[in-house]
């Protein structure tokens, strides 16, 4: 039985996660592959690595759909570039397409941050980057019941897939939490906007020590820092 072409799969994905929602610098869409190639098996992943590529070969998957691009323009590290080159050549040689839905999946309704909100049992009200809309980077919403920060942090840990990073928390552990802001992946750039929101806590990944201290010096909004991979795997 012959499955749909990569182009048909791409068209379906782009109905859910429109390409116009992607950042200008992003490398979304078909990074490697022939759009007319028929596909019977698809492998989903957050990152395209050599291990993932090997798994696709073992499964007979003709297409890998990834959240993170194979490459980004600003990459200059020689070792990283060599690794990227091996992945691209191996994918091409084995006729495995590499398709990416990245910042368009972050911004779209039912995207990455919405998956976190759903896992926390929260109701999405708007996005962080555009508080008047439900599309955009990050999400704002409310929990179904008030809980203290320490209990909320445990809820986050239980909602995410098991990982070695765990979570870290900054703020008063007895603080009541009702309204939350979340951003799957690295959300530190949103801290200035978050500080202006009517929320009790911000959940994201890759927060650094000094960034966190600077935020807490000027805001009472607590922070929950999680694994980058885990925050995006829910989607």
């Amino acid at each position: 039985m012959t499955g749909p072409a990569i182009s048909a799969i791409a068209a379906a994905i782009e109905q859910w996660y429109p390409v116009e929602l992607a950042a200008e610098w992003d490398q979304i869409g078909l990074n490697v592959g022939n759009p007319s190639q028929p596909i019977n098996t698809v492998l989903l992943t957050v990152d395209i690595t050599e291990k993932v590529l090997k798994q696709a070969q073992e499964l007979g998957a003709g297409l890998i759909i990834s959240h993170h691009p194979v490459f980004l323009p600003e990459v200059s590290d020689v070792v990283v570039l060599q690794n990227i080159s091996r992945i691209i050549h191996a994918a091409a040689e084995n006729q495995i397409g590499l398709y990416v839905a990245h910042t368009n999946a972050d911004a779209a309704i039912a995207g990455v941050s919405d998956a976190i909100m759903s896992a926390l049992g929260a109701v999405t009200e708007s996005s962080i980057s555009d508080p008047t809309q439900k599309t955009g980077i990050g999400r704002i919403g409310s929990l179904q019941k008030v809980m203290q920060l320490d209990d909320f942090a445990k809820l986050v840990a239980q909602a995410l897939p098991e990982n070695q990073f765990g979570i870290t928390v900054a703020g008063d552990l007895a603080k009541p939490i009702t309204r939350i802001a979340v951003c799957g992946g690295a959300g530190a750039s949103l801290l200035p906007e978050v500080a202006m929101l009517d929320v009790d806590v911000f959940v994201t990944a890759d927060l650094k020590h000094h960034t966190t201290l600077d935020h807490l010096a000027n805001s009472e909004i607590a922070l929950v820092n999680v694994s980058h991979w885990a925050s995006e795997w829910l989607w």
Side-chain angles (χ1 to χ4, degrees):
M1 179 178 175
T2 301
I6 288 178
S7 60
I9 297 172
I13 295 171
E14 289 162 12
Q15 283 187 327
W16 300 323
Y17 312 111
V19 295
E20 58 266 25
L21 294 178
E24 291 184 2
W25 50 263
D26 207 359
Q27 301 292 315
I28 64 166
L30 189 62
N31 282 194
V32 176
N34 180 356
S36 63
Q37 179 182 338
I39 298 298
N40 290 315
T41 303
V42 173
L43 180 64
L44 306 179
T45 187
V46 173
D47 296 284
I48 300 173
T49 65
E50 290 185 274
K51 184 176 180 180
V52 168
L53 196 59
K54 181 179 179 181
Q55 184 183 14
Q57 291 176 258
E58 293 171 348
L59 293 171
L63 179 65
I64 297 174
I65 299 176
S66 170
H67 182 49
H68 291 144
V70 185
F71 58 92
L72 289 172
E74 71 270 16
V75 173
S76 58
D77 183 273
V78 173
V79 174
V80 174
L81 289 172
Q82 289 174 342
N83 182 56
I84 291 170
S85 179
R86 286 197 301 271
I87 290 172
I88 291 172
H89 282 94
E93 288 175 3
N94 290 279
Q95 296 185 310
I96 298 174
L98 306 180
Y99 184 92
V100 173
H102 190 210
T103 51
N104 53 326
D106 289 327
I109 293 174
V112 174
S113 294
D114 287 306
I116 301 173
M117 293 289 281
S118 177
L120 296 175
V123 178
T124 296
E125 299 166 8
S126 63
S127 69
I128 295 174
S129 58
D130 186 351
T132 67
Q133 301 290 331
K134 289 189 177 181
T135 57
I137 303 300
R139 292 294 181 266
I140 304 165
S142 299
L143 297 174
Q144 296 181 2
K145 64 177 182 179
V146 181
M147 60 180 64
Q148 290 187 338
L149 178 59
D150 58 348
D151 291 325
F152 175 74
K154 293 173 185 175
L155 175 65
V156 173
Q158 292 167 359
L160 295 178
E162 184 177 350
N163 63 90
Q164 295 180 339
F165 181 86
I167 65 170
T168 54
V169 184
D172 180 359
L173 294 179
K175 176 184 175 70
I177 303 296
T178 304
R179 286 179 53 74
I180 69 174
V182 306
C183 179
S189 63
L190 293 174
L191 282 173
E193 288 96 329
V194 169
M196 303 297 291
L197 297 175
D198 179 24
V199 297
D200 304 308
V201 66
F202 179 41
V203 181
T204 192
D206 297 347
L207 292 176
K208 294 185 178 181
H209 175 76
H210 293 292
T211 302
T212 299
L213 287 181
D214 290 343
H215 167 81
L216 293 177
N218 299 291
S219 174
E220 294 183 357
I221 297 171
L223 300 174
V224 176
N225 186 36
V226 303
S227 158
H228 191 127
W229 167 84
S231 72
E232 296 173 330
W233 179 254
L234 291 174
W235 168 72

